Amino acid sequence: MKGSADAYPFRTLPVPSRFSIAIGLVALVFLIDQSAGDLIDDGSHLLLLGTAVGATAWFAGTGPALLATVLGAVLGATHGDGRDTGAVALHLALFLVQGLILTGVVDELRRARRSAEARARDANVARHEGEVANRTKDEFLATISHELRTPLNAVLGWVHLLRSGRLDGPTAVRGLEAIDRNVRLQAQLTADLLDVSKALTGKLRLNSRPAALEDAVRQALSSAMPAAKAKGVQLVLTHTEPAVVHGDPTRLVQIAWQLIANAIKFTPRGGTIEVATQAVKDEAVLRVQDSGQGIDPAFLPRVFERFTQADSSATRKAGGLGVGLALVRELVELHGGEIEARNRPDRNGAVFTVKLPLQVAEMVLRCEEIVDGDAARAEGTPLEGLRVLVFEEDTEGRELMRTLLQHGGADVQTASTVGDALTSLESWRPDVLVSDSLSSEHDSYALIGKVLSLEAHRGGRIPAAALTTAARTDERLRHLLANVQRELPKPVEPALLTSEIARLAGRERRRAQR
């Protein structure tokens, strides 16, 4: 049985021992009184009792001190020996007051001491947490710097070599592949950071519809193939079954890609990564299994935490920001599913398993309709004869968009200001408007709203696409984007951009028939 919190300084002293201290000190006073005889008068007797009460309050606590006060008063009443009862009563009353005051004072001193100790502990914890947070921030910034500079170094190096004109054909092809791979890697790192920011603020959203999980996996495998090839890792789709879920197709691809990319990172050259999808009862299951070193059992419970890595030292073999698997968990949970990680029984690799709610047959049919519709729209998407107005403030961005769309067969005009864009809109009558990011003078998204509010003979009702940085998630931007028929996050694939522009123009022509 442990003492209560007020038993300062002996907090762990058992209660019987504390009360024994009270009884023993009071008894000691009366033994001294009996042995000293006439040397101790009533005043000295009460002073000794008060000292006993104070010592009890300090060493044993408030409860034992109150017991010592009561015992001292009772024994003091029997100590009168026929003396003046009025004086004895006065002395006892003073003793009781003294005992209560001493007990209260000592209790307040203990309370102040405990409060000071608690504040000191809180300050130490806060200081420690602040030091850990600063160290984590510094490590994370160093990691970001490393992870962003590494692809840039490869890009700049290969660009320099390509410009020199001294590379043979195969080497130049390898250089272009390296540039493409590293640019995509940097774009993915940036997208991951933005998604983590959205997840931390609760603004990560899904655009859900019936989606085939196996299609998402095939797209992810196709995207990850260059990285796997560069590292000498084999990607194998071992098993696939039709499995339709109600989810965001883009996010499903992201889930699969992140798991495959993570497996590539930790699989040695010559290793194999096996990917499988199947329908098990009422669940759609995605399984990614690698042949790497597996996950440290001590780190396994933290593998899905943000900004954590099994090896975060500067000499680690595997790169990354420590956010990919955390994003996967966020996205899986937003889809109503669950994810687990474990090591293979032979400890030669890790296995990640995603389980998502399987949809009913009607949803499967709906998914097939959507896929068929997408395939139909994807057929024949040249921009030949289309008029495209591009609003972009940045000079290099305008030139890139102009060249890209002209190579697709489009007739392109560009504008660097909102006023120029509105003038071209009324005089040139484009088929599609492409607006990029935010201008310094106006919201370019507000420009789209103005366009849609114009009459048809002034260029209204023109379909619009917005190229966004996806960094703004406030309600104001969400309201502005409500006027956009298609939002494409940067960097955008050229093939996707031309396909979406053709789709927008075709849809508008069928609707307006002009």
Side-chain angles (χ1 to χ4, degrees), residues 160-389:
H160 173 76
L161 292 174
L162 289 169
R163 280 181 171 176
S164 68
R166 300 174 183 175
L167 301 180
D168 56 28
T171 304
V173 169
R174 287 203 311 273
L176 291 173
E177 290 176 348
I179 291 173
D180 178 76
R181 186 169 58 251
N182 282 280
V183 167
R184 290 176 187 276
L185 174 60
Q186 191 169 49
Q188 187 61 48
L189 290 173
T190 305
D192 287 348
L193 288 174
L194 294 174
D195 283 341
V196 167
S197 175
K198 292 179 182 180
L200 289 173
T201 56
K203 295 181 179 179
L204 195 58
R205 299 286 185 265
L206 299 179
N207 183 19
S208 296
R209 71 181 198 187
L213 182 59
E214 65 272 21
D215 289 345
V217 170
R218 292 183 189 278
Q219 291 183 47
L221 284 169
S222 177
S223 298
M225 193 62 72
K229 182 180 178 182
K231 192 175 181 181
V233 174
Q234 184 178 8
L235 294 181
V236 180
L237 184 60
T238 59
H239 183 78
T240 179
E241 292 181 6
V244 174
V245 300
H246 188 66
D248 187 327
T250 302
R251 296 299 188 181
L252 291 174
V253 173
Q254 184 178 1
I255 291 172
W257 184 90
Q258 289 282 7
L259 292 178
I260 296 170
N262 183 75
I264 294 174
K265 187 190 307 182
F266 293 100
T267 300
R269 180 174 295 275
T272 302
I273 298 172
E274 299 178 354
V275 183
T277 61
Q278 58 185 136
V280 180
K281 295 182 180 179
D282 59 346
E283 292 179 328
V285 179
L286 164 63
R287 183 172 292 104
V288 178
Q289 177 175 288
D290 63 61
S291 57
Q293 61 184 3
I295 305 172
D296 184 354
F299 181 71
L300 195 55
R302 302 174 53 229
V303 71
F304 293 110
E305 293 182 6
R306 298 186 187 99
F307 310 119
T308 58
Q309 294 175 306
D311 181 10
S312 58
S313 65
T315 58
R316 67 187 185 276
K317 295 181 179 179
L321 302 178
V323 299
L325 293 180
L327 273 177
V328 169
R329 183 183 64 177
E330 294 275 359
L331 293 172
V332 169
E333 291 178 350
L334 282 176
H335 283 85
E338 59 183 24
I339 183 172
E340 65 176 6
R342 60 179 175 84
N343 286 315
R344 293 171 55 173
D346 57 4
R347 297 297 302 274
N348 292 324
V351 181
F352 288 85
T353 304
V354 175
K355 298 178 181 179
L356 301 172
L358 191 64
Q359 296 301 304
V360 296
E362 290 79 2
M363 296 290 280
V364 176
L365 295 175
R366 172 63 179 149
C367 179
E368 293 174 352
E369 294 174 0
I370 292 174
V371 172
D372 292 342
D374 290 344
R377 285 193 295 267
E379 293 178 359
T381 57
L383 304 182
E384 190 68 35
L386 283 182
R387 292 185 174 188
V388 181
L389 174 61

Side-chain angles (χ1 to χ4, degrees), residues 13 32 62 171 213 341 346 394 417 441 489-490 512:
L13 199 64
I32 294 173
T62 302
T171 304
L213 182 59
D346 57 4
D394 180 67
T417 66
E441 56 170 329
K490 299 192 316 186

